[in-house]
Amino acid sequence: MADKFSLLKKDYKHNVPAEALFFNVNGRKALRLEVPEIGKEFTDGLYIGKDPEGTFYYSNIESLDGRRTIKYKSYRIINPFDNKACCHIKFYTTSEEVCHAE
């Protein structure tokens, strides 16, 4: 039997990395597919835009292990380096001053 991916490469002009999330919404199966390289995002076959790209900073992955409730707060800020608007998100347990990640 031929490799499915090899066959698909023959059928289409382009192939780029993508990420899929399968989930249930009120018992209904749903799909979200992101294709960052071409700036596309699909859910249940409909184009819905693109998530903003960013960088996730953390020191200790164990602090994000799911054993505690992680809260978050988001802010719109202006990056002083290039004067562009950014979304700054702080992940914390009890105080924004002690973040697990940003």
Side-chain angles (χ1 to χ4, degrees):
M1 182 176 241
D3 174 46
K4 181 67 174 173
F5 298 109
S6 295
L7 294 173
L8 289 170
K9 284 181 181 180
K10 289 178 184 177
D11 290 343
Y12 294 93
K13 292 181 184 178
H14 307 280
N15 62 83
V16 295
E19 297 176 14
L21 173 64
F22 298 91
F23 56 99
N24 286 309
V25 177
N26 299 326
R28 184 177 151 258
K29 293 184 184 200
L31 164 70
R32 176 178 176 188
L33 178 73
E34 293 182 41
V35 192
E37 193 170 308
I38 60 172
K40 300 288 185 187
E41 182 176 316
F42 304 87
T43 184
D44 288 340
L46 301 173
Y47 175 65
I48 60 170
K50 181 184 175 199
D51 288 339
E53 296 174 4
T55 305
F56 187 69
Y57 297 90
Y58 68 95
S59 294
N60 183 359
I61 195 67
E62 286 80 23
S63 70
L64 301 166
D65 62 8
R67 288 187 278 159
R68 57 181 64 94
T69 300
I70 303 292
K71 301 172 187 171
Y72 72 91
K73 194 102 176 216
S74 61
Y75 306 89
R76 183 184 183 275
I77 64 168
I78 301 296
N79 184 348
F81 177 74
D82 58 10
N83 289 322
K84 290 187 178 180
C86 300
C87 180
H88 184 189
I89 306 168
K90 292 184 173 189
F91 297 88
Y92 62 96
T93 301
T94 56
S95 168
E96 290 178 57
E97 304 306 314
V98 182
C99 293
H100 298 286
E102 296 186 52

